[in-house]
Amino acid sequence: MIDPLTLNEFIVKKQDEVQFSSGELSQLLGAITLASKIVHREINKAGLLDITGSAGVQNIQGEDQQKLDVYANEKFKQALALRGHVCGIASEEEDDFVSFSNNNQSLSKYVVAYDPIDGSSNIDVNIPVGTIFSIYKRKSSNEKPVEISDFLRFGREQVAAGYVIYGSSTMLVYTTGQGVNGFTFDPSVGEFYLSHENMRIPERGSIYSINEGNADKFSEGAKCYLEACKSGNTLSGKPYSARYVGSLVADFHRNLIKGGIFIYPSYRGVPNGKLRLLYECNPLAFIVEQAGGSASDGNTRILDLTMNELHQRCPLFIGSKEMVTEAENLMRSEI
Ligand code: P6P
């Protein structure tokens, strides 16, 4: 049996389909996969190393940074600074964007936004976590260092997006606008191999993912939708199954494969929801649309939302197209 394609072999094979030059995408994804292999190694030893738990500092979101958040952030930043045609990055763990100005990096064409470890508080309890990344071509002149305007973009301008899920196996899933493909890491070889070619999300599923612990603070529309999921007053005519890991990449990945909807709505006290537009919602929205699904904030397509600040939050309804439409309609009907 022939080995499946490695990530690099796949990129070369698909080279004429993407808007990157021959080596750029390989090097960009090469930097990301290098850092993800290092993070994979540390996560898999988390219980044996003093690398879990709080780092004793908070990020700009006011969230306790976990030691692995800080470690992973540095690894992705180093890899992208040294190898990736990148003039600057934005990260959940950085207050502001970071400009790479050494050895002509500032002239590079791409900017990358990433959440180095999403759901990191789950590491201590062995629940899957993930890295999410988003790639844009810079807008500003490459005669000057990168600017904030290179990051405050519409999600529809992304040239690539992806995530790594550190779960029962470690997988990289990405899109360049030509469909979605998944690669599974073989640690014995140190390679990502094509395992999920041309991923498509089912038009409809029977899984809803939402933190019902916040239900008493939900809008009437959200409460109505929740009731419909439980009573079976849904498209499928029967109750949905509740699945909520509390790790966005894990919930998203399961729904991408099985069909379903993930919702992090706005609710009393959390007017814009919790998830960040730049390095969580936009990349996953690009992926889900490329896989035939949809993503909105309950009203507007995520990829069309205007971004006014780097760590801007937005509500997120993402998954099977028919289920997202159903949720939007039910929630509007009760407003
Ligand atoms: P809650 C993890 O902290 C995270 O950012 C996402 O990975 C996850 O979907 C969400 O927050 C969970 O938030 O409020 O339900 O605990």
Side-chain angles (χ1 to χ4, degrees):
M1 188 176 100
I2 300 172
D3 275 344
L5 292 177
T6 65
L7 174 59
N8 277 335
E9 288 165 345
F10 181 83
I11 291 171
V12 170
K13 182 174 172 229
K14 298 283 184 179
Q15 200 57 62
D16 55 349
E17 291 179 9
V18 296
Q19 49 183 316
F20 295 83
S21 77
S22 55
E24 288 170 341
L25 179 62
S26 296
Q27 291 208 36
L28 266 167
L29 288 182
I32 289 167
T33 50
L34 170 66
S36 64
K37 291 174 188 175
I38 294 169
V39 171
H40 158 93
R41 181 192 64 198
E42 296 309 307
I43 284 177
N44 283 1
K45 291 185 295 187
L48 303 172
L49 292 175
D50 178 26
I51 196 155
T52 57
S54 171
V57 290
Q58 290 198 329
N59 61 19
I60 191 169
Q61 337 282 343
E63 295 166 344
D64 288 339
Q65 283 188 313
Q66 303 297 309
K67 290 174 185 169
L68 204 58
D69 284 325
V70 176
Y71 177 84
N73 184 54
E74 286 309 311
K75 291 303 169 191
F76 279 95
K77 194 163 46 172
Q78 286 164 12
L80 290 165
L82 296 174
R83 299 183 49 194
H85 292 281
V86 176
C87 56
I89 61 103
S91 164
E92 185 194 42
E93 305 305 333
E94 300 281 348
D95 293 358
D96 202 350
F97 67 89
V98 177
S99 173
F100 295 154
S101 48
N102 57 330
N103 57 38
N104 291 334
Q105 281 294 124
S106 64
L107 309 182
S108 296
K109 282 166 61 176
Y110 299 101
V111 296
V112 180
Y114 60 83
D115 184 355
I117 300 281
D118 178 76
S120 54
S121 56
N122 291 305
I123 290 171
D124 296 4
V125 293
N126 269 37
I127 285 175
V129 295
T131 297
I132 310 171
F133 62 90
S134 173
I135 303 174
Y136 295 86
K137 270 190 183 153
R138 70 182 299 174
K139 273 175 43 174
S140 62
S141 154
N142 65 4
E143 303 294 321
K144 301 181 296 178
V146 70
E147 300 169 358
I148 185 66
S149 61
D150 291 309
F151 296 94
L152 301 184
R153 312 282 285 276
F154 289 107
R156 60 177 184 256
E157 297 177 67
Q158 293 173 95
V159 292
Y163 62 87
V164 181
I165 179 168
Y166 309 96
S168 47
S169 66
T170 290
M171 270 192 73
L172 169 80
V173 176
Y174 83 94
T175 185
T176 56
Q178 310 292 326
V180 178
N181 293 283
F183 299 78
T184 299
F185 182 54
D186 179 345
S188 68
V189 182
E191 282 287 0
F192 280 92
Y193 285 100
L194 181 63
S195 53
H196 297 66
E197 188 163 11
N198 191 24
M199 298 178 81
R200 303 292 293 171
I201 187 170
E203 289 282 311
R204 187 190 303 179
S206 58
I207 292 171
Y208 73 105
S209 311
I210 190 168
N211 184 344
E212 299 196 38
N214 301 318
D216 69 328
K217 292 177 273 188
F218 284 174
S219 68
E220 287 312 307
K223 289 176 181 173
C224 168
Y225 177 67
L226 214 44
E227 198 39 52
C229 290
K230 296 175 179 181
S231 65
N233 181 20
T234 62
L235 284 167
S236 60
K238 50 184 191 290
Y240 291 153
S241 297
R243 293 287 184 276
Y244 193 76
V245 179
S247 183
L248 173 60
V249 171
D251 280 316
F252 177 83
H253 185 71
R254 181 205 50 246
N255 291 353
L256 178 66
I257 290 174
K258 292 182 178 289
I261 184 171
F262 173 95
I263 298 177
Y264 206 102
S266 58
Y267 53 84
R268 193 169 68 247
V270 186
N272 298 308
K274 172 182 185 182
L275 302 175
R276 274 58 57 125
L277 180 57
L278 176 59
Y279 40 76
E280 291 171 332
C281 299
N282 268 334
L284 296 184
F286 187 17
I287 291 168
V288 83
E289 288 198 1
Q290 283 292 311
S294 57
S296 79
D297 65 357
N299 294 298
T300 306
R301 180 184 180 228
I302 290 289
L303 297 183
D304 291 337
L305 290 177
T306 300
M307 195 182 303
N308 299 306
E309 53 182 71
L310 216 50
H311 300 288
Q312 179 174 322
R313 298 174 193 267
C314 69
L316 180 63
F317 293 62
I318 190 167
S320 296
K321 188 177 292 222
E322 291 183 13
M323 297 179 80
V324 171
T325 304
E326 176 186 55
E328 289 169 342
N329 293 339
L330 267 172
M331 293 184 76
R332 276 193 204 108
S333 65
E334 290 297 316
I335 289 173

PDB file of all heavy atoms in Angstrom, residues 124-137:
ATOM      1  N   ASP A 124      -4.947  20.161  31.771  1.00  0.00           N
ATOM      2  CA  ASP A 124      -4.737  19.462  33.056  1.00  0.00           C
ATOM      3  C   ASP A 124      -5.650  18.253  33.193  1.00  0.00           C
ATOM      4  O   ASP A 124      -5.393  17.367  34.013  1.00  0.00           O
ATOM      5  CB  ASP A 124      -5.031  20.423  34.220  1.00  0.00           C
ATOM      6  CG  ASP A 124      -4.046  21.585  34.236  1.00  0.00           C
ATOM      7  OD1 ASP A 124      -3.221  21.649  33.312  1.00  0.00           O
ATOM      8  OD2 ASP A 124      -4.121  22.404  35.170  1.00  0.00           O
ATOM      9  N   VAL A 125      -6.750  18.237  32.446  1.00  0.00           N
ATOM     10  CA  VAL A 125      -7.704  17.126  32.593  1.00  0.00           C
ATOM     11  C   VAL A 125      -7.793  16.297  31.306  1.00  0.00           C
ATOM     12  O   VAL A 125      -8.785  15.626  31.050  1.00  0.00           O
ATOM     13  CB  VAL A 125      -9.095  17.664  33.007  1.00  0.00           C
ATOM     14  CG1 VAL A 125      -9.036  18.247  34.419  1.00  0.00           C
ATOM     15  CG2 VAL A 125      -9.605  18.705  32.014  1.00  0.00           C
ATOM     16  N   ASN A 126      -6.736  16.410  30.496  1.00  0.00           N
ATOM     17  CA  ASN A 126      -6.603  15.551  29.296  1.00  0.00           C
ATOM     18  C   ASN A 126      -7.750  15.678  28.292  1.00  0.00           C
ATOM     19  O   ASN A 126      -8.118  14.694  27.647  1.00  0.00           O
ATOM     20  CB  ASN A 126      -6.477  14.075  29.723  1.00  0.00           C
ATOM     21  CG  ASN A 126      -5.015  13.704  29.913  1.00  0.00           C
ATOM     22  OD1 ASN A 126      -4.246  14.547  30.405  1.00  0.00           O
ATOM     23  ND2 ASN A 126      -4.610  12.512  29.528  1.00  0.00           N
ATOM     24  N   ILE A 127      -8.311  16.878  28.198  1.00  0.00           N
ATOM     25  CA  ILE A 127      -9.330  17.126  27.171  1.00  0.00           C
ATOM     26  C   ILE A 127      -8.633  17.756  25.970  1.00  0.00           C
ATOM     27  O   ILE A 127      -7.722  18.580  26.144  1.00  0.00           O
ATOM     28  CB  ILE A 127     -10.436  18.056  27.735  1.00  0.00           C
ATOM     29  CG1 ILE A 127     -11.320  17.245  28.698  1.00  0.00           C
ATOM     30  CG2 ILE A 127     -11.273  18.676  26.627  1.00  0.00           C
ATOM     31  CD1 ILE A 127     -12.369  18.068  29.417  1.00  0.00           C
ATOM     32  N   PRO A 128      -9.004  17.368  24.739  1.00  0.00           N
ATOM     33  CA  PRO A 128      -8.328  17.912  23.546  1.00  0.00           C
ATOM     34  C   PRO A 128      -8.326  19.434  23.524  1.00  0.00           C
ATOM     35  O   PRO A 128      -9.301  20.080  23.925  1.00  0.00           O
ATOM     36  CB  PRO A 128      -9.165  17.357  22.384  1.00  0.00           C
ATOM     37  CG  PRO A 128      -9.788  16.112  22.925  1.00  0.00           C
ATOM     38  CD  PRO A 128     -10.042  16.380  24.382  1.00  0.00           C
ATOM     39  N   VAL A 129      -7.213  19.994  23.076  1.00  0.00           N
ATOM     40  CA  VAL A 129      -7.096  21.444  22.880  1.00  0.00           C
ATOM     41  C   VAL A 129      -6.629  21.676  21.448  1.00  0.00           C
ATOM     42  O   VAL A 129      -6.396  20.721  20.699  1.00  0.00           O
ATOM     43  CB  VAL A 129      -6.104  22.068  23.882  1.00  0.00           C
ATOM     44  CG1 VAL A 129      -6.617  21.937  25.310  1.00  0.00           C
ATOM     45  CG2 VAL A 129      -4.721  21.421  23.755  1.00  0.00           C
ATOM     46  N   GLY A 130      -6.521  22.943  21.065  1.00  0.00           N
ATOM     47  CA  GLY A 130      -6.162  23.199  19.670  1.00  0.00           C
ATOM     48  C   GLY A 130      -5.410  24.499  19.466  1.00  0.00           C
ATOM     49  O   GLY A 130      -5.379  25.369  20.332  1.00  0.00           O
ATOM     50  N   THR A 131      -4.798  24.608  18.320  1.00  0.00           N
ATOM     51  CA  THR A 131      -4.200  25.858  17.816  1.00  0.00           C
ATOM     52  C   THR A 131      -5.039  26.291  16.626  1.00  0.00           C
ATOM     53  O   THR A 131      -5.430  25.447  15.823  1.00  0.00           O
ATOM     54  CB  THR A 131      -2.751  25.607  17.346  1.00  0.00           C
ATOM     55  OG1 THR A 131      -1.958  25.190  18.455  1.00  0.00           O
ATOM     56  CG2 THR A 131      -2.153  26.857  16.714  1.00  0.00           C
ATOM     57  N   ILE A 132      -5.361  27.573  16.538  1.00  0.00           N
ATOM     58  CA  ILE A 132      -6.140  28.084  15.392  1.00  0.00           C
ATOM     59  C   ILE A 132      -5.329  29.183  14.725  1.00  0.00           C
ATOM     60  O   ILE A 132      -4.730  30.022  15.424  1.00  0.00           O
ATOM     61  CB  ILE A 132      -7.503  28.660  15.845  1.00  0.00           C
ATOM     62  CG1 ILE A 132      -8.232  27.671  16.757  1.00  0.00           C
ATOM     63  CG2 ILE A 132      -8.381  29.002  14.639  1.00  0.00           C
ATOM     64  CD1 ILE A 132      -9.494  28.249  17.420  1.00  0.00           C
ATOM     65  N   PHE A 133      -5.253  29.177  13.377  1.00  0.00           N
ATOM     66  CA  PHE A 133      -4.449  30.200  12.703  1.00  0.00           C
ATOM     67  C   PHE A 133      -5.161  30.749  11.475  1.00  0.00           C
ATOM     68  O   PHE A 133      -5.993  30.072  10.860  1.00  0.00           O
ATOM     69  CB  PHE A 133      -3.057  29.667  12.325  1.00  0.00           C
ATOM     70  CG  PHE A 133      -3.062  28.518  11.355  1.00  0.00           C
ATOM     71  CD1 PHE A 133      -3.010  28.746   9.978  1.00  0.00           C
ATOM     72  CD2 PHE A 133      -3.123  27.200  11.802  1.00  0.00           C
ATOM     73  CE1 PHE A 133      -3.010  27.686   9.083  1.00  0.00           C
ATOM     74  CE2 PHE A 133      -3.123  26.126  10.914  1.00  0.00           C
ATOM     75  CZ  PHE A 133      -3.067  26.364   9.550  1.00  0.00           C
ATOM     76  N   SER A 134      -4.788  31.983  11.139  1.00  0.00           N
ATOM     77  CA  SER A 134      -5.428  32.717  10.041  1.00  0.00           C
ATOM     78  C   SER A 134      -4.344  33.495   9.303  1.00  0.00           C
ATOM     79  O   SER A 134      -3.494  34.121   9.952  1.00  0.00           O
ATOM     80  CB  SER A 134      -6.459  33.690  10.644  1.00  0.00           C
ATOM     81  OG  SER A 134      -7.001  34.535   9.676  1.00  0.00           O
ATOM     82  N   ILE A 135      -4.331  33.432   7.968  1.00  0.00           N
ATOM     83  CA  ILE A 135      -3.249  34.055   7.184  1.00  0.00           C
ATOM     84  C   ILE A 135      -3.846  35.063   6.192  1.00  0.00           C
ATOM     85  O   ILE A 135      -4.811  34.742   5.486  1.00  0.00           O
ATOM     86  CB  ILE A 135      -2.440  32.988   6.423  1.00  0.00           C
ATOM     87  CG1 ILE A 135      -1.862  31.941   7.405  1.00  0.00           C
ATOM     88  CG2 ILE A 135      -1.313  33.641   5.623  1.00  0.00           C
ATOM     89  CD1 ILE A 135      -1.166  30.760   6.747  1.00  0.00           C
ATOM     90  N   TYR A 136      -3.281  36.262   6.173  1.00  0.00           N
ATOM     91  CA  TYR A 136      -3.671  37.310   5.223  1.00  0.00           C
ATOM     92  C   TYR A 136      -2.449  37.782   4.459  1.00  0.00           C
ATOM     93  O   TYR A 136      -1.328  37.730   4.983  1.00  0.00           O
ATOM     94  CB  TYR A 136      -4.246  38.532   5.959  1.00  0.00           C
ATOM     95  CG  TYR A 136      -5.540  38.316   6.697  1.00  0.00           C
ATOM     96  CD1 TYR A 136      -5.538  37.824   8.006  1.00  0.00           C
ATOM     97  CD2 TYR A 136      -6.769  38.609   6.115  1.00  0.00           C
ATOM     98  CE1 TYR A 136      -6.724  37.628   8.706  1.00  0.00           C
ATOM     99  CE2 TYR A 136      -7.959  38.419   6.809  1.00  0.00           C
ATOM    100  CZ  TYR A 136      -7.924  37.932   8.096  1.00  0.00           C
ATOM    101  OH  TYR A 136      -9.103  37.746   8.790  1.00  0.00           O
ATOM    102  N   LYS A 137      -2.666  38.260   3.251  1.00  0.00           N
ATOM    103  CA  LYS A 137      -1.622  39.036   2.577  1.00  0.00           C
ATOM    104  C   LYS A 137      -1.670  40.434   3.173  1.00  0.00           C
ATOM    105  O   LYS A 137      -2.764  40.976   3.371  1.00  0.00           O
ATOM    106  CB  LYS A 137      -1.891  39.111   1.066  1.00  0.00           C
ATOM    107  CG  LYS A 137      -1.263  37.985   0.277  1.00  0.00           C
ATOM    108  CD  LYS A 137      -1.347  38.221  -1.226  1.00  0.00           C
ATOM    109  CE  LYS A 137      -0.760  37.020  -1.969  1.00  0.00           C
ATOM    110  NZ  LYS A 137      -1.357  36.869  -3.311  1.00  0.00           N
TER     111      LYS A 137
END
